[in-house]
Amino acid sequence: MSSEKSVLRLAEQLDGDGLLTKAGADRLVRAVAATKASAARLGCEDLMAFATSAVREAGNSAEVLDRVRTETGVDLKVLSGEDEARYTFLAVRRWYGWSAGRLLCLDIGGGSLELAVGVDEEPEEAFSVPLGAGRLTRTRFHHDPPSRQEVAETTEWLDDQLAPVAKKLRRVGAPDRVVATSKTFRTLARLTGAAPSSAGPRARRVLTHAGLRQLIGFVSRMSASDLAELEGVSASRAHQLVAGALVAEATMRALSLGELEICPWALREGVILRRLDHTDGADQDTPATRTRRSGDTGRTGRHGARWS
């Protein structure tokens, strides 16, 4: 198995009119071309190419996708926000198993925040809200570090944005386990004392609301360059850390969460797992197939695997 990553930060490449800039499109084309070349070199037989919120919401999305297709030969599939939440939820369910009961899954990306809850592999409720760390950094912060007024106003604004979603999630019922995925949550957990990546994916990692509040008081006064010096903070994402922390804290507060666990699997793993569930390799994730899956009474996957 091989893993390669390129940080594009497309959510920060949207201009004032909501269009993906030429620089952003250039980055995307180069990344897709490089990934396609790596896949060929490694003998990959099935290339699954997908884009998320930044491309989905760009006013020139169709033109950008056409350019990617023309210049690379790759047809990017744009996931809806709900699909992002559903695939991430699937990954979390497979990681923790059925004994985890009702799961609440949170994921902060560059452009959006995904939330999903349920007792099966399909969530009962799945939401995507435009509260990504990159988006908030670009639209709400104009100083480095952000001013106290910017932090206070963003915190209050987040409360208003999350209230309707929190109300709907509460109606589903209290979760048995609350789980967070994504680089943002992993970094926040590490900065509050969670085990480093060297401890392996099976090490239990948690993020507490109390620890997160203390962390915000510390990092919100630091510049991006200083944040990049902290252990576990990548230089490419340091400038988004405060916004991501504010989104995480506001979400935990809105849902009255004292603690959440960090899952190493997220959207990418969810997409792969769903593809593996379809042995013919076709894109069959339609309302009809979802209905058939929701009617399954067993806890056995398509390949006979069982989770406990």
Side-chain angles (χ1 to χ4, degrees):
M1 186 177 68
S2 178
S3 178
E4 297 181 12
K5 292 185 179 181
S6 299
V7 180
L8 303 183
R9 301 194 335 228
L10 295 183
E12 299 175 43
Q13 292 295 318
L14 298 176
D15 64 20
D17 296 321
L19 304 177
L20 187 63
T21 63
K22 183 180 183 302
D26 289 345
R27 290 184 186 181
L28 179 60
V29 170
R30 287 195 298 268
V32 172
T35 301
K36 181 181 178 181
S38 293
R41 184 178 68 255
L42 295 168
C44 177
E45 297 180 358
D46 190 5
L47 184 64
M48 296 178 292
F50 60 92
T52 55
S53 62
V55 176
R56 178 175 68 239
E57 297 170 9
N60 57 342
S61 176
E63 292 87 344
V64 171
L65 293 173
D66 283 342
R67 182 184 167 191
V68 171
R69 188 181 307 110
T70 299
E71 297 187 25
T72 70
V74 175
D75 189 10
L76 278 177
K77 176 183 177 182
V78 180
L79 299 181
S80 70
E82 182 180 338
D83 280 343
E84 284 192 58
R86 290 192 306 106
Y87 286 132
T88 302
F89 183 87
L90 171 64
V92 172
R93 170 59 72 190
R94 294 282 178 94
W95 180 266
Y96 285 100
W98 298 103
S99 61
R102 186 186 302 280
L103 281 172
L104 171 59
C105 178
L106 312 175
D107 188 326
I108 299 174
S112 59
L113 161 71
E114 275 70 51
L115 310 94
V117 64
V119 296
D120 214 314
E121 290 200 335
E122 286 288 329
E124 297 165 61
E125 293 283 0
F127 302 98
S128 178
V129 288
L131 301 177
R135 181 194 300 270
L136 264 64
T137 300
R138 174 175 58 86
T139 59
R140 300 199 63 88
F141 295 161
H142 305 289
H143 301 85
D144 180 23
S147 67
R148 290 186 178 182
Q149 182 177 354
E150 287 174 335
V151 171
E153 290 179 349
T154 298
T155 299
E156 184 177 353
W157 177 79
L158 284 168
D159 289 343
D160 292 338
Q161 299 299 308
L162 287 166
V165 176
K167 183 177 181 180
K168 293 177 181 178
L169 287 173
R170 288 195 192 95
R171 290 174 180 170
V172 177
D176 298 304
R177 200 165 198 160
V178 183
V179 179
T181 72
S182 78
K183 177 65 173 178
T184 296
F185 274 116
R186 290 198 301 272
T187 299
L188 295 173
R190 179 71 188 105
L191 290 174
T192 56
S197 58
S198 59
R202 290 290 178 181
R204 185 174 185 269
R205 297 173 174 88
V206 300
L207 175 65
T208 67
H209 188 219
L212 180 55
R213 286 180 59 86
Q214 291 180 348
L215 178 66
I216 290 174
F218 176 64
V219 299
S220 62
R221 298 192 297 268
M222 298 176 64
S223 67
S225 59
D226 288 337
L227 290 172
E229 298 297 322
L230 298 177
E231 182 181 359
V233 179
S234 62
S236 62
R237 295 177 183 268
H239 67 294
Q240 299 182 5
L241 182 63
V242 175
L246 292 178
V247 173
E249 193 278 330
T251 304
M252 294 183 74
R253 180 157 33 85
L255 297 171
S256 301
L257 304 175
E259 178 181 287
L260 48 80
E261 296 183 54
I262 307 299
C263 179
W265 282 3
L267 175 61
R268 178 182 60 178
E269 287 76 17
V271 172
I272 294 172
L273 288 166
R274 183 55 75 211
R275 175 60 68 89
L276 291 176
D277 283 345
H278 300 304
T279 55
D280 62 359
D283 183 9
Q284 301 182 48
D285 198 33
T286 65
T289 57
R290 289 199 294 271
T291 298
R292 289 198 295 273
R293 287 200 302 274
S294 65
D296 293 342
T297 58
R299 300 301 194 192
T300 304
R302 297 269 179 142
H303 297 290
R306 295 185 68 88
W307 301 275
S308 59

PDB file of all heavy atoms in Angstrom, residues 240-257:
ATOM      1  N   GLN A 240      -4.823  27.764   9.557  1.00  0.00           N
ATOM      2  CA  GLN A 240      -6.228  27.378   9.698  1.00  0.00           C
ATOM      3  C   GLN A 240      -6.563  26.863  11.099  1.00  0.00           C
ATOM      4  O   GLN A 240      -7.720  26.598  11.390  1.00  0.00           O
ATOM      5  CB  GLN A 240      -6.578  26.271   8.708  1.00  0.00           C
ATOM      6  CG  GLN A 240      -6.422  26.617   7.258  1.00  0.00           C
ATOM      7  CD  GLN A 240      -6.845  25.457   6.359  1.00  0.00           C
ATOM      8  OE1 GLN A 240      -7.335  24.426   6.822  1.00  0.00           O
ATOM      9  NE2 GLN A 240      -6.658  25.617   5.076  1.00  0.00           N
ATOM     10  N   LEU A 241      -5.551  26.736  11.941  1.00  0.00           N
ATOM     11  CA  LEU A 241      -5.738  26.041  13.210  1.00  0.00           C
ATOM     12  C   LEU A 241      -6.752  26.736  14.119  1.00  0.00           C
ATOM     13  O   LEU A 241      -7.615  26.079  14.712  1.00  0.00           O
ATOM     14  CB  LEU A 241      -4.403  25.912  13.938  1.00  0.00           C
ATOM     15  CG  LEU A 241      -4.445  25.146  15.264  1.00  0.00           C
ATOM     16  CD1 LEU A 241      -4.864  23.705  15.035  1.00  0.00           C
ATOM     17  CD2 LEU A 241      -3.080  25.195  15.947  1.00  0.00           C
ATOM     18  N   VAL A 242      -6.672  28.059  14.225  1.00  0.00           N
ATOM     19  CA  VAL A 242      -7.593  28.769  15.122  1.00  0.00           C
ATOM     20  C   VAL A 242      -9.032  28.620  14.635  1.00  0.00           C
ATOM     21  O   VAL A 242      -9.933  28.328  15.423  1.00  0.00           O
ATOM     22  CB  VAL A 242      -7.210  30.257  15.229  1.00  0.00           C
ATOM     23  CG1 VAL A 242      -8.238  31.004  16.069  1.00  0.00           C
ATOM     24  CG2 VAL A 242      -5.824  30.403  15.849  1.00  0.00           C
ATOM     25  N   ALA A 243      -9.258  28.790  13.344  1.00  0.00           N
ATOM     26  CA  ALA A 243     -10.611  28.647  12.810  1.00  0.00           C
ATOM     27  C   ALA A 243     -11.123  27.230  13.041  1.00  0.00           C
ATOM     28  O   ALA A 243     -12.273  27.033  13.454  1.00  0.00           O
ATOM     29  CB  ALA A 243     -10.627  28.982  11.321  1.00  0.00           C
ATOM     30  N   GLY A 244     -10.285  26.233  12.790  1.00  0.00           N
ATOM     31  CA  GLY A 244     -10.701  24.853  13.017  1.00  0.00           C
ATOM     32  C   GLY A 244     -11.036  24.586  14.473  1.00  0.00           C
ATOM     33  O   GLY A 244     -12.002  23.887  14.793  1.00  0.00           O
ATOM     34  N   ALA A 245     -10.230  25.156  15.372  1.00  0.00           N
ATOM     35  CA  ALA A 245     -10.481  24.976  16.803  1.00  0.00           C
ATOM     36  C   ALA A 245     -11.800  25.621  17.220  1.00  0.00           C
ATOM     37  O   ALA A 245     -12.562  25.062  18.028  1.00  0.00           O
ATOM     38  CB  ALA A 245      -9.330  25.566  17.608  1.00  0.00           C
ATOM     39  N   LEU A 246     -12.098  26.793  16.670  1.00  0.00           N
ATOM     40  CA  LEU A 246     -13.351  27.463  17.003  1.00  0.00           C
ATOM     41  C   LEU A 246     -14.556  26.676  16.502  1.00  0.00           C
ATOM     42  O   LEU A 246     -15.586  26.580  17.186  1.00  0.00           O
ATOM     43  CB  LEU A 246     -13.369  28.872  16.405  1.00  0.00           C
ATOM     44  CG  LEU A 246     -12.386  29.874  17.012  1.00  0.00           C
ATOM     45  CD1 LEU A 246     -12.494  31.218  16.286  1.00  0.00           C
ATOM     46  CD2 LEU A 246     -12.633  30.057  18.508  1.00  0.00           C
ATOM     47  N   VAL A 247     -14.450  26.089  15.306  1.00  0.00           N
ATOM     48  CA  VAL A 247     -15.543  25.263  14.776  1.00  0.00           C
ATOM     49  C   VAL A 247     -15.736  24.030  15.655  1.00  0.00           C
ATOM     50  O   VAL A 247     -16.863  23.662  16.003  1.00  0.00           O
ATOM     51  CB  VAL A 247     -15.260  24.840  13.326  1.00  0.00           C
ATOM     52  CG1 VAL A 247     -16.315  23.841  12.835  1.00  0.00           C
ATOM     53  CG2 VAL A 247     -15.234  26.045  12.409  1.00  0.00           C
ATOM     54  N   ALA A 248     -14.636  23.376  16.027  1.00  0.00           N
ATOM     55  CA  ALA A 248     -14.720  22.182  16.866  1.00  0.00           C
ATOM     56  C   ALA A 248     -15.348  22.503  18.216  1.00  0.00           C
ATOM     57  O   ALA A 248     -16.242  21.784  18.694  1.00  0.00           O
ATOM     58  CB  ALA A 248     -13.322  21.594  17.066  1.00  0.00           C
ATOM     59  N   GLU A 249     -14.904  23.595  18.826  1.00  0.00           N
ATOM     60  CA  GLU A 249     -15.427  23.963  20.150  1.00  0.00           C
ATOM     61  C   GLU A 249     -16.897  24.336  20.084  1.00  0.00           C
ATOM     62  O   GLU A 249     -17.699  23.935  20.936  1.00  0.00           O
ATOM     63  CB  GLU A 249     -14.603  25.121  20.719  1.00  0.00           C
ATOM     64  CG  GLU A 249     -14.834  25.391  22.196  1.00  0.00           C
ATOM     65  CD  GLU A 249     -16.067  26.241  22.455  1.00  0.00           C
ATOM     66  OE1 GLU A 249     -16.402  27.065  21.579  1.00  0.00           O
ATOM     67  OE2 GLU A 249     -16.703  26.078  23.517  1.00  0.00           O
ATOM     68  N   ALA A 250     -17.271  25.097  19.057  1.00  0.00           N
ATOM     69  CA  ALA A 250     -18.673  25.495  18.915  1.00  0.00           C
ATOM     70  C   ALA A 250     -19.566  24.292  18.677  1.00  0.00           C
ATOM     71  O   ALA A 250     -20.698  24.226  19.179  1.00  0.00           O
ATOM     72  CB  ALA A 250     -18.810  26.500  17.772  1.00  0.00           C
ATOM     73  N   THR A 251     -19.075  23.322  17.917  1.00  0.00           N
ATOM     74  CA  THR A 251     -19.852  22.107  17.647  1.00  0.00           C
ATOM     75  C   THR A 251     -20.036  21.291  18.909  1.00  0.00           C
ATOM     76  O   THR A 251     -21.135  20.811  19.207  1.00  0.00           O
ATOM     77  CB  THR A 251     -19.160  21.261  16.568  1.00  0.00           C
ATOM     78  OG1 THR A 251     -18.972  22.044  15.383  1.00  0.00           O
ATOM     79  CG2 THR A 251     -19.999  20.042  16.218  1.00  0.00           C
ATOM     80  N   MET A 252     -18.974  21.122  19.667  1.00  0.00           N
ATOM     81  CA  MET A 252     -19.075  20.368  20.915  1.00  0.00           C
ATOM     82  C   MET A 252     -20.010  21.064  21.891  1.00  0.00           C
ATOM     83  O   MET A 252     -20.809  20.422  22.582  1.00  0.00           O
ATOM     84  CB  MET A 252     -17.687  20.184  21.529  1.00  0.00           C
ATOM     85  CG  MET A 252     -16.764  19.304  20.697  1.00  0.00           C
ATOM     86  SD  MET A 252     -15.135  19.011  21.468  1.00  0.00           S
ATOM     87  CE  MET A 252     -15.572  17.839  22.760  1.00  0.00           C
ATOM     88  N   ARG A 253     -19.937  22.383  21.921  1.00  0.00           N
ATOM     89  CA  ARG A 253     -20.808  23.135  22.827  1.00  0.00           C
ATOM     90  C   ARG A 253     -22.270  23.054  22.387  1.00  0.00           C
ATOM     91  O   ARG A 253     -23.168  22.866  23.217  1.00  0.00           O
ATOM     92  CB  ARG A 253     -20.334  24.588  22.883  1.00  0.00           C
ATOM     93  CG  ARG A 253     -21.139  25.499  23.787  1.00  0.00           C
ATOM     94  CD  ARG A 253     -20.319  26.710  24.220  1.00  0.00           C
ATOM     95  NE  ARG A 253     -19.390  27.140  23.188  1.00  0.00           N
ATOM     96  CZ  ARG A 253     -19.723  27.956  22.180  1.00  0.00           C
ATOM     97  NH1 ARG A 253     -20.953  28.402  22.077  1.00  0.00           N
ATOM     98  NH2 ARG A 253     -18.805  28.340  21.295  1.00  0.00           N
ATOM     99  N   ALA A 254     -22.516  23.163  21.093  1.00  0.00           N
ATOM    100  CA  ALA A 254     -23.887  23.115  20.584  1.00  0.00           C
ATOM    101  C   ALA A 254     -24.542  21.769  20.849  1.00  0.00           C
ATOM    102  O   ALA A 254     -25.765  21.688  21.062  1.00  0.00           O
ATOM    103  CB  ALA A 254     -23.893  23.412  19.083  1.00  0.00           C
ATOM    104  N   LEU A 255     -23.737  20.712  20.843  1.00  0.00           N
ATOM    105  CA  LEU A 255     -24.259  19.353  21.034  1.00  0.00           C
ATOM    106  C   LEU A 255     -24.025  18.839  22.451  1.00  0.00           C
ATOM    107  O   LEU A 255     -24.276  17.668  22.738  1.00  0.00           O
ATOM    108  CB  LEU A 255     -23.608  18.409  20.025  1.00  0.00           C
ATOM    109  CG  LEU A 255     -23.909  18.713  18.553  1.00  0.00           C
ATOM    110  CD1 LEU A 255     -23.051  17.859  17.637  1.00  0.00           C
ATOM    111  CD2 LEU A 255     -25.387  18.499  18.259  1.00  0.00           C
ATOM    112  N   SER A 256     -23.528  19.709  23.332  1.00  0.00           N
ATOM    113  CA  SER A 256     -23.279  19.349  24.734  1.00  0.00           C
ATOM    114  C   SER A 256     -22.360  18.133  24.854  1.00  0.00           C
ATOM    115  O   SER A 256     -22.628  17.184  25.592  1.00  0.00           O
ATOM    116  CB  SER A 256     -24.607  19.074  25.459  1.00  0.00           C
ATOM    117  OG  SER A 256     -25.451  20.205  25.422  1.00  0.00           O
ATOM    118  N   LEU A 257     -21.249  18.172  24.124  1.00  0.00           N
ATOM    119  CA  LEU A 257     -20.304  17.064  24.111  1.00  0.00           C
ATOM    120  C   LEU A 257     -19.112  17.396  24.993  1.00  0.00           C
ATOM    121  O   LEU A 257     -18.435  18.396  24.786  1.00  0.00           O
ATOM    122  CB  LEU A 257     -19.817  16.800  22.685  1.00  0.00           C
ATOM    123  CG  LEU A 257     -20.900  16.523  21.639  1.00  0.00           C
ATOM    124  CD1 LEU A 257     -20.261  16.397  20.259  1.00  0.00           C
ATOM    125  CD2 LEU A 257     -21.683  15.269  21.990  1.00  0.00           C
TER     126      LEU A 257
END
